[in-house]
Amino acid sequence: MTEQEIFDVFLDELLQRAVDDFHATAQYALLAEKLERMHRDCDSMFAADEKEFAEECFSLLLDVSGHQERHLYQKGLRDGVTILKRLGGFAT
């Protein structure tokens, strides 16, 4: 495994821990409840083909959001290291 691959695995693990921590919050519980309600509404309000389209749209939105989340998390970590280096927190 290359250094970049090891670093990516490390970042993925940090991100997953942060996501797991968020999933343990009351805020996430409320959001999950709203998502479940939205899913039930889609089941009852849409015809089968409309429901399939809506689910594809939501799936794409969640996928894009996940990629954005990962990118922002990695950028934040890198920015944090840069700031610490400039403040003298790390030897260069």
Side-chain angles (χ1 to χ4, degrees):
M1 197 179 271
T2 67
E3 285 186 24
Q4 183 62 46
E5 289 171 333
I6 292 169
F7 185 67
D8 288 343
V9 169
F10 172 71
L11 289 179
D12 287 343
E13 181 63 28
L14 288 176
L15 176 60
Q16 188 56 53
R17 287 181 185 184
V19 168
D20 291 345
D21 288 347
F22 177 66
H23 284 180
T25 66
Q27 181 183 13
Y28 176 77
L30 291 173
L31 292 170
E33 183 180 316
K34 287 181 181 181
L35 283 172
E36 180 58 34
R37 191 173 329 125
M38 185 178 68
H39 183 70
R40 284 193 310 269
D41 289 346
C42 284
D43 282 343
S44 64
M45 295 173 63
F46 296 138
D49 60 334
E50 294 170 329
K51 180 183 168 196
E52 182 179 332
F53 175 75
E55 287 176 350
E56 287 176 13
C57 289
F58 291 132
S59 178
L60 177 60
L61 288 170
L62 288 172
D63 188 45
V64 168
S65 179
H67 286 288
Q68 180 182 14
E69 172 186 274
R70 186 174 190 272
H71 176 80
L72 292 173
Y73 193 81
Q74 288 179 352
K75 177 78 170 112
L77 285 173
R78 287 186 177 107
D79 289 348
V81 169
T82 299
I83 290 168
L84 287 173
K85 281 182 180 180
R86 289 189 180 175
L87 293 174
F90 289 120
T92 54

